[in-house]
């Protein structure tokens, strides 16, 4: 059983896609084990995306991620990390396969609706960034 962290980003929440994202995960046999809606501060977003601190898009990404509420969830299932990434599609919607969330709904590489952990190591960091053990069911 694998665990991963997914986020419906501010653009996804604004576009009313919370249910759509969860539905796609559940339809592929994944289980939502923890979930909440929060509004990150810029500092909170910077901490979450700390691995990208040297990237040119860090400031803009963390501003975007703190501009409105997000829905964070821990999702689990067999191969959850790669299945969530398949359901999301490539980071840049221009490269995302048809039928993926980003191909269907994302505006551009930054405003790409959803996030999903890219490895077991980042999943562990990201899950513990948002959830205490008491919030995971
Ligand atoms: P995410 O999967 O959340 O991981 C890091 C995020 O940074 C990514 O989705 C995009 O929202 C954003 N991102 C990645 N590459 C770029 C880029 N070249 N320009 C702007 N934003 C980017």
């Amino acid at each position: 059983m694998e665990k991963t962290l997914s986020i419906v980003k501010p653009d996804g929440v604004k576009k009313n896609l919370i249910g759509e994202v969860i539905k796609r995960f559940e339809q592929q046999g994944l289980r939502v084990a923890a979930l909440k809606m929060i509004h990150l501060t810029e500092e909170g977003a910077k901490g979450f995306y700390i691995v990208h601190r040297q990237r040119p898009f860090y400031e803009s990404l963390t501003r975007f991620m703190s501009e409105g509420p997000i829905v964070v969830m821990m999702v689990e299932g067999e191969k959850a990390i790669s299945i969530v990434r398949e359901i999301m599609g490539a980071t840049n919607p221009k490269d995302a396969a048809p039928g993926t969330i980003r191909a269907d709904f994302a505006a551009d590489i930054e405003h790409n609706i959803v996030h999903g952990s890219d490895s077991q190591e980042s999943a562990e960091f990201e899950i513990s960034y948002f959830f205490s053990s008491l919030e995971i069911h």
Side-chain angles (χ1 to χ4, degrees), residues 1-4 29-31 74-81 120:
M1 193 69 88
E2 213 169 57
K3 302 173 197 317
T4 188
L30 299 171
R31 187 178 82 86
M74 191 199 107
V75 172
E76 69 177 15
E78 239 174 85
K79 298 192 174 158
I81 294 172
Q120 214 149 320

Side-chain angles (χ1 to χ4, degrees), residues 85-86 88-104 106-109 112:
R85 292 179 71 77
E86 263 173 46
M88 293 191 305
T91 306
N92 189 340
K94 287 184 188 142
D95 304 324
T100 59
I101 293 171
R102 286 164 172 165
D104 287 348
D108 56 57
I109 193 167
N112 62 357

Side-chain angles (χ1 to χ4, degrees), residues 9 49 52 57 61 91 102 109-110 112 115:
K9 298 185 179 186
Y49 280 120
H52 295 308
F57 56 82
L61 171 66
T91 306
R102 286 164 172 165
I109 193 167
E110 181 171 279
N112 62 357
H115 167 83

Side-chain angles (χ1 to χ4, degrees), residues 107-122:
D108 56 57
I109 193 167
E110 181 171 279
H111 307 90
N112 62 357
I113 308 285
V114 274
H115 167 83
S117 311
D118 65 3
S119 66
Q120 214 149 320
E121 192 190 8
S122 41

Side-chain angles (χ1 to χ4, degrees), residues 25-72:
F25 291 165
E26 290 183 337
Q27 278 177 341
Q28 294 308 312
L30 299 171
R31 187 178 82 86
V32 177
L35 178 136
K36 61 185 157 192
M37 183 180 247
I38 55 170
H39 192 152
L40 286 174
T41 60
E42 243 180 274
E43 285 310 302
K46 282 183 172 161
F48 178 73
Y49 280 120
I50 194 76
V51 293
H52 295 308
R53 65 190 177 283
Q54 310 287 13
R55 304 283 192 95
F57 56 82
Y58 185 59
E59 288 295 324
S60 151
L61 171 66
T62 52
R63 213 176 311 120
F64 159 59
M65 287 299 288
S66 57
E67 80 184 20
I70 59 173
V71 172
V72 291

